[in-house]
């Protein structure tokens, strides 16, 4: 995430990125102080770069940015360029990864809230 995207503000399908504000989420990224040479690596070194993404609070935003902007190099949002290319091939109809990931996150939160009774914890079940 640390290197600036050299590409356009639009994906290959010429659709603008919805709600993408790298200046906002980029300041919260765990890799913001990392050496970019550690994030733009090949082979087994990519696993170390991906590990940095594991606990990052803006991992989803970072991944969506890389997918929406078709960034070809580096580890972004915990995915290598090879993994992102494979994902883009599997889901060619997605025009906004940011919107898709935001929707998935909201749905996950809604389902989690449905399964949790108000005021009751797992320790009170029974």
């Amino acid at each position: 995430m640390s290197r600036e995207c050299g590409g356009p503000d639009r994906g290959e399908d010429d659709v603008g990125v919805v709600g993408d504000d790298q200046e906002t989420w980029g300041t919260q990224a765990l890799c913001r102080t990392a050496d970019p040479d550690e994030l733009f690596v090949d082979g087994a070194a990519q696993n170390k770069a991906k590990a940095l993404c594991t606990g990052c609070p803006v991992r989803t935003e970072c991944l969506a940015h890389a997918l929406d902007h078709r960034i070809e190099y580096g580890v972004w949002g915990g995915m290598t360029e090879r993994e992102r290319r494979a994902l883009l091939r599997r889901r060619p109809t997605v025009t906004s990864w940011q919107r898709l990931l935001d929707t998935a996150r909201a749905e996950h939160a809604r389902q989690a809230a449905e399964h949790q009774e108000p005021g009751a914890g797992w320790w009170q079940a029974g």
Side-chain angles (χ1 to χ4, degrees):
M1 178 319 312
S2 293
R3 287 193 182 168
E4 288 294 318
C5 172
D9 291 336
R10 297 178 173 274
E12 288 179 350
D13 59 1
D14 205 39
V15 173
V17 180
V18 176
D20 185 22
D21 186 0
Q22 185 180 5
E23 289 182 17
T24 300
W25 63 260
T27 62
Q28 300 170 34
L30 291 180
C31 65
R32 72 187 173 280
T33 59
D35 179 356
D37 290 336
E38 294 176 8
L39 300 173
F40 293 82
V41 292
D42 293 322
Q46 290 178 327
N47 291 329
K48 183 178 177 183
K50 287 170 61 170
L52 183 61
C53 300
T54 301
C56 185
V58 293
R59 182 177 180 173
T60 301
E61 291 81 356
C62 180
L63 177 58
H65 176 81
L67 292 167
D68 282 336
H69 290 278
R70 306 302 195 259
I71 297 175
E72 295 183 28
Y73 303 104
V75 171
W76 291 73
M79 292 185 84
T80 66
E81 56 267 19
R82 177 179 278 173
E83 292 167 334
R84 291 192 308 274
R85 279 194 306 269
L87 180 56
L88 290 168
R89 278 193 306 272
R90 284 193 307 269
R91 303 287 303 272
T93 60
V94 176
T95 58
S96 172
W97 286 92
Q98 184 67 51
R99 187 172 31 231
L100 177 76
L101 294 172
D102 285 346
T103 300
R105 185 183 337 193
E107 178 62 19
H108 176 75
R110 186 190 64 76
Q111 288 179 0
E114 280 182 4
H115 294 341
Q116 181 69 32
E117 291 182 37
W122 60 268
W123 61 92
Q124 295 173 327

